[in-house]
Amino acid sequence: MRISIPKGTKDILPDEIVKYRYIENKFADIMQNYGYEQIRFPVFESTELFKRGVGDTTDIVQKEMYTFFDKSGRSLTLRPEGTASVVRSYIENGMSSNTQPIKLFYNITAYRYENVQKGRYREFNQLGAEVIGSDSANTDVEIIAMLNMFFKKIGLNDLMLNINSIGCKQCRKEYNEKLKLYYSDKISGMCEDCKERYQRNPMRLLDCKNAECAKLSEDAPKLLDNLCPSCDEHFKKVIKGLEEMGVQYVINKKIVRGLDYYERTVFEFVMNGIGAQDTVCGGGRYDGLVVELGGSDAPGIGFAMGVERLLSSIEKEGIVLPEKARPLIFFAYMGEKGYLKARELVNELRSKGIYCEIDVCERSLKAQLKFADKKNAKYCIVLGDNEIDTNKAIIKNMLDQESKEVSIDSIINRIIENKI
Ligand code: HAM
């Protein structure tokens, strides 16, 4: 019986890999320009890290984690995101004694047991970054403006920044009371999830996608209108900075984000029309997370974007991404002498970093030329006894079918000097 790929996962095949690599390289380039360094961390962590980091009341922890016990009975979980791991690593590796802030980026797969639909998978790829050690609004401005620049660089002009502030623990305490009061006579109209949110995490009531709940939340008090003076000033400074940097935004008071660690600035870059899952990138401040995970009092901010959703947006905007590399020259051969010469030339060119191809399946000449076509080679040369003996071969441009006679000895130099 054939074994199929698990639901919500996919193979990323060569045609698509070039697109992933393009995005990943562009991301790494911009990260370097902004002084971020790359970090890698384990695919699995102690379950406790996500329970405490992402939060016990979140959908991720309650419903979506891939949790298992290893052979020693430890509870481990496949990472549903990267921030908790980066903060764990920051604490564990004593990064608080280095010059602050610490700026790290990552390129990871993440795992969530979600209802699968377009743009929502159980294994997906995230590009993300974290800045730990600065609570200044200027850090928020820099990180958001950087994302804006990244999206523009890859040609995505239709992504809209939605931004909000969900205040600090202090402003949220008072706000939650107001919110509960507002909802107190509406509980019967809520979905089952929201009934629980009402008890455990009222702010998330604003985030429910259920149509009835969304209607109920329309007139609910919003955190942005209930910030303490310090959070209010912080948010105003972020907005002023974004305006100064020419970053377009909409203030969306309903953004609360689905992870518990957020405080103050939260944001999403959203694109319409790529499926129900239109948030390409999400992020925000998490000023209490380092302490929550046992470290010193260090504020943080970061973001992550889903590469699959990014690629859907790119496709939707009609942006053409690089295709698979094509060989510069296909060396076809007839007979043993021809093969040995062709192999020698291919080997030398490859050692100089030039992509060329040769048949290694002992195909007939006709089949080799068909293969050259399939591989989309730009030029083709045929080497046989006659060519080797006379030191002359025909090089054919596969696009315009023009042929030129060249001496075999000159081929390497011609290619290197781009004089084919
Ligand atoms: P998040 O909003 O849970 O935030 O995920 C960030 C992005 O990952 C989403 O906007 C989306 O593009 C992608 N994503 C999430 N779940 C899925 C899925 N099931 N299938 C496909 N793509 C998905 C975080 O993960 C935070 N750690 C971001 C952050 C970093 N905040 C501060 N620092």
Side-chain angles (χ1 to χ4, degrees):
M1 223 173 55
R2 239 178 32 189
I3 297 170
S4 315
I5 195 165
K7 188 172 172 188
T9 67
K10 62 173 190 162
D11 297 317
I12 305 169
L13 300 175
D15 281 345
E16 238 190 319
I17 283 286
V18 285
K19 298 177 183 167
Y20 275 75
R21 214 193 276 163
Y22 173 80
I23 296 293
E24 287 161 8
N25 289 344
K26 281 262 180 274
F27 183 66
D29 287 349
I30 199 161
M31 285 289 116
Q32 193 180 355
N33 291 346
Y34 278 82
Y36 287 74
E37 292 173 300
Q38 189 170 6
I39 180 170
R40 292 192 187 174
F41 41 84
V43 168
F44 55 84
E45 298 265 8
S46 287
T47 303
E48 191 56 23
L49 176 70
F50 301 116
K51 280 194 177 166
R52 269 208 272 155
V54 174
D56 253 342
T57 64
T58 59
D59 283 355
I60 293 181
V61 170
Q62 292 209 332
K63 302 183 198 161
E64 297 168 1
M65 294 210 299
Y66 280 91
T67 297
F68 58 97
F69 291 95
D70 72 4
K71 290 189 165 57
S72 309
R74 295 181 192 94
S75 180
L76 300 171
T77 293
L78 297 185
R79 60 187 176 207
E81 58 106 51
T83 312
S85 297
V86 173
V87 170
R88 185 222 12 91
S89 178
Y90 173 90
I91 299 166
E92 204 160 2
N93 293 293
M95 292 187 214
S96 61
S97 7
N98 304 345
T99 309
Q100 305 293 295
I102 299 291
K103 296 163 92 171
L104 298 166
F105 77 95
Y106 48 89
N107 174 1
I108 59 169
T109 50
Y111 304 85
R112 296 183 193 176
Y113 187 81
E114 296 212 65
N115 288 328
V116 176
Q117 60 185 89
K118 189 166 165 43
R120 199 198 266 167
Y121 308 99
R122 291 182 177 172
E123 180 188 65
F124 56 98
N125 287 270
Q126 272 192 346
L127 297 171
E130 313 294 343
V131 182
I132 306 177
S134 163
D135 65 1
S136 165
N138 293 347
T139 308
D140 308 32
V141 173
E142 185 184 81
I143 206 166
I144 295 170
M146 175 189 71
L147 278 166
N148 193 59
M149 186 188 287
F150 172 72
F151 294 132
K152 293 270 167 340
K153 262 188 194 253
I154 56 175
L156 272 179
N157 298 312
D158 273 3
L159 277 183
M160 186 41 94
L161 166 65
N162 283 229
I163 189 165
N164 190 20
S165 173
I166 54 171
C168 61
K169 288 194 178 70
Q170 200 48 42
C171 17
R172 228 178 292 166
K173 218 188 224 163
E174 290 169 24
Y175 168 75
N176 279 346
E177 293 310 314
K178 273 195 191 172
L179 200 57
K180 281 182 106 165
L181 192 65
Y182 167 82
Y183 275 108
S184 56
D185 57 356
K186 300 178 179 62
I187 298 173
S188 57
M190 293 175 181
C191 72
E192 288 310 307
D193 278 349
C194 278
K195 283 182 184 151
E196 196 170 330
R197 285 178 188 133
Y198 178 81
Q199 296 301 338
R200 301 184 63 174
N201 194 353
M203 194 177 69
R204 296 286 321 281
L205 290 166
L206 300 185
D207 198 27
C208 186
K209 301 288 180 280
N210 177 302
E212 283 304 305
C213 301
K215 219 186 282 163
L216 290 181
S217 70
E218 281 301 324
D219 298 325
K222 305 292 184 303
L223 239 167
L224 196 64
D225 306 319
N226 290 276
L227 296 178
C228 69
S230 155
C231 289
D232 188 49
E233 191 192 331
H234 191 271
F235 187 65
K236 287 193 173 123
K237 208 169 161 195
V238 174
I239 294 298
K240 184 164 172 279
L242 291 177
E243 283 175 357
E244 286 160 357
M245 301 283 289
V247 178
Q248 287 193 330
Y249 64 89
V250 285
I251 293 178
N252 181 346
K253 295 181 183 178
K254 286 178 89 171
I255 291 188
V256 296
R257 310 273 304 130
L259 302 94
D260 272 358
Y261 46 63
Y262 289 114
E263 287 186 23
R264 293 192 159 181
T265 314
V266 285
F267 60 88
E268 292 179 347
F269 281 85
V270 179
M271 175 140 185
N272 284 324
I274 57 164
Q277 306 306 313
D278 55 4
T279 304
V280 172
C281 173
R285 276 210 158 271
Y286 44 86
D287 291 349
L289 183 59
V290 182
V291 168
E292 178 65 40
L293 294 177
S296 54
D297 191 5
I301 180 168
F303 66 84
M305 54 187 133
V307 183
E308 288 75 17
R309 291 189 196 174
L310 197 60
L311 288 173
S312 296
S313 316
I314 283 173
E315 199 181 313
K316 192 183 159 261
E317 277 205 37
I319 298 163
V320 182
L321 291 184
E323 294 185 352
K324 266 195 297 193
R326 52 196 285 206
L328 183 63
I329 304 204
F330 188 94
F331 285 80
Y333 58 85
M334 280 181 300
E336 184 66 6
K337 243 163 61 175
Y339 171 66
L340 291 178
K341 189 67 189 175
R343 188 174 70 182
E344 177 194 315
L345 293 173
V346 166
N347 199 40
E348 190 166 345
L349 285 169
R350 284 176 173 169
S351 78
K352 294 185 190 313
I354 291 165
Y355 174 27
C356 41
E357 275 289 5
I358 183 170
D359 155 74
V360 287
C361 301
E362 305 188 42
R363 289 181 172 92
S364 69
L365 180 62
K366 198 170 156 208
Q368 288 180 51
L369 295 177
K370 233 174 156 178
F371 180 48
D373 247 356
K374 270 232 161 79
K375 285 270 158 191
N376 209 10
K378 289 183 188 152
Y379 296 92
C380 185
I381 295 182
V382 182
L383 299 179
D385 288 356
N386 190 33
E387 282 76 14
I388 311 287
D389 293 344
T390 57
N391 188 29
K392 287 203 172 86
I394 303 290
I395 183 161
K396 188 166 153 192
N397 183 323
M398 303 289 275
L399 201 68
D400 59 18
Q401 303 295 318
E402 252 182 49
S403 295
K404 205 191 285 178
E405 191 180 75
V406 295
S407 79
I408 297 178
D409 289 347
S410 72
I411 289 175
I412 301 277
N413 277 344
R414 275 174 176 275
I415 293 171
I416 291 170
E417 289 164 15
N418 214 2
K419 287 188 196 146
I420 312 176

